[in-house]
Amino acid sequence: MSTWILFLLLGVGTGALYAALAMGVIVVYRGSGVVNFAIGATAMFPAVVYAELRTSGDLLLPVVGIPNRYGLGDPLGFWPSLVLALAVGALIAALAHTLVFRPLRQAPALTLVIATVGLTIVLQGLAAKSFGTATVRTPEILPDDVVTVFGRPVPVDRFWLAGVVALVGVGLGGVYRFSRFGLATRAASTSEKGATLLGYDSGRIALVNWIIASMMISVIGILLTPLSGVNPFNYSLFVIPALGAALAARLQSFTVAALVGIGIGSFQALAVHMVSQRQVPDFLLAGLDSVVPFVVIVGALVYSGHTLPIRGTFLEHHHVEAPVPARNPLVWLSMVVAGTLIMVFGGPSIRLAGIQSMFTITLLLSLVVLTGYLGQVSLAQLAFAGFGAFWLAHSSEQWGVPFPLAPLLAIAVTTAVGTAIGIPALRIRGIQFAIVTLSAALVFERLVFRSPSFSGPGGLAHVDPPELFGLDLGILGSGNFPNPTFGVILVWLTAGCALLVANLRRGSVGRRFIAVRLNERAAAAAGINVPRTKLLGAATASLLAGVAGVMFAYKSVDFTSAGLEAEEGLQILALAYVGGIGAVSGAVIGGLIAPAGLLVVALSSAEPSVDQFLLAGVGMVIVAVAFPAGLAGVGTRLRAALRRPRRAAPH
């Protein structure tokens, strides 16, 4: 028992960061109505700035298009580095609110999620470009003494971190309960119109809250750099337990958020110990710690999802456009023929890029159905595709299931699993569902994809090439890599998936999807079975993700979880939104402009890089602000503008 208590205490340090991030989520939500998925990345960048100042003396700035590294001489001490890092954190918050979230004040929930995800990718890309991807630990900041608890030494810095978080929580509670600013924030969160009539500037209130949240999480993130180190990506996924703690606090109580955040960190540390001692079943060995926040999130949302506070706004939010695809067989046939010709006559690099685009288009089509048509923001579609890929490898290698039964089984099982994950959507939707699916994606990555019992020794899975009537249909067949026949099959399979989604939107099922997305109560009053419609959407999207997973497995042959991580799912959502998440043509555009996709390789012959990752994030934010319908909607707007009759000039 004393060992368990020791590990619970060791997890207090990471739990303190979870608690601070959770309180930051609450502050931003109270001030601006944004559930900030970028809260981890917002804490990461000032911590990276601090680490760079302490190690090299260079100052990193969150800017794009101009140099963002400036040498200040020798490495700086603690206080100058802290002040400069906090100033950068405040700058990030001010720019994010002013340039992105203030213009999106009346945007739908999906657009706000997209904008925060885009901000995450931008900050990660900027940090990776200037700082690198290695984890850096800074010199000790807090006292590094130890105390004895039950005969075991425990570093005292954990208690210092918990104390700092406790003081911050008490201070925030007092400010928002008793100060005039806190009362104004509470008034604006209840009704922006009412707060404006009382003389409060809701925009200024939101800006100050963004800066307060940034200062708080930056301090805790910097204090944690000697303990866990910092890199451009490790803080970003801390948003999952932070969101769990914030939801457990119903986006209101700082005290509950702090306690739950510290508790999640402690239980994660205990889970790591239990795994190291093999005190859990084998299927939990790869990622038991990732299950803890997932259970907290699902429990909080299922229990209180309908009672979470909804911030008052001036106007009703609009939804992302989901136009009915035109019936034009000539367009469809020309695209399929063009894809076939590329696979037959294109060079090896072009064919490989086309294969990558076909996989991405099919995966994005699942987001068109679930997010564009049904309004459920999913961040787990890449994880479902990965599950389908690993299941295909497992069933064919371990059980000897032959082709074509093995891919059909993988698609069926992925559909069932994705539908089961969609069950929480019967009580929750929008941002809340996005939180559940992001957490689920992390569970798949840590618990399933890295499990030797499922993925294979060392997490390496293998898929034999598909053969039919003695003909090798795999990517390695014909001695001409990549096999043109394999590419042609993927083109026609992708076209079939796109046609399925287009016909779905044209038919009665698509109309039910749109009705549920617009207003669930009105849809139910009109006789639509809302739970069944939601589950049908989840099943269809999971089926498409399963097809994409089969494509991924056969194009990779040997693969690990690389490229299927939870953070990669954010980039998939970025591509879907930039292309146009409500349209089949948007999925096609997103697949063509994907890293290593057909358009990127054809124009630049470039491999995926940090610059492309950063460009995807910047494009995502720009599209969210300026073109909510994505690039696919730009053409629609232009055609509508050209068809609009011009006013006659006055005589």
Side-chain angles (χ1 to χ4, degrees), residues 43 46 56 163 167 172 201 213 223 310 351 357 364 374 441 462 494 510 518-519 549 568:
S56 69
L167 288 175
L172 287 175
D201 186 338
L223 293 179
I310 300 175
R351 290 201 304 274
S357 287
L364 297 184
L374 198 55
H462 172 78
T494 301
L518 293 175
N519 191 314
E568 293 291 333

Side-chain angles (χ1 to χ4, degrees), residues 502-548:
N503 288 333
L504 188 74
R505 176 64 183 91
R506 296 191 193 104
S508 60
V509 174
R511 291 191 292 271
R512 290 201 298 270
F513 283 174
I514 299 300
V516 170
R517 186 189 75 167
L518 293 175
N519 191 314
E520 290 186 14
R521 292 183 179 179
I528 296 175
N529 188 321
V530 174
R532 184 183 301 171
T533 301
K534 284 186 173 183
L535 289 180
L536 178 59
T540 306
S542 302
L543 184 146
L544 293 166
V547 174

Side-chain angles (χ1 to χ4, degrees), residues 117-133:
V117 171
L119 179 60
T120 297
I121 296 174
V122 169
L123 292 175
Q124 288 176 337
L126 286 172
K129 185 175 182 179
S130 302
F131 185 75
T133 57

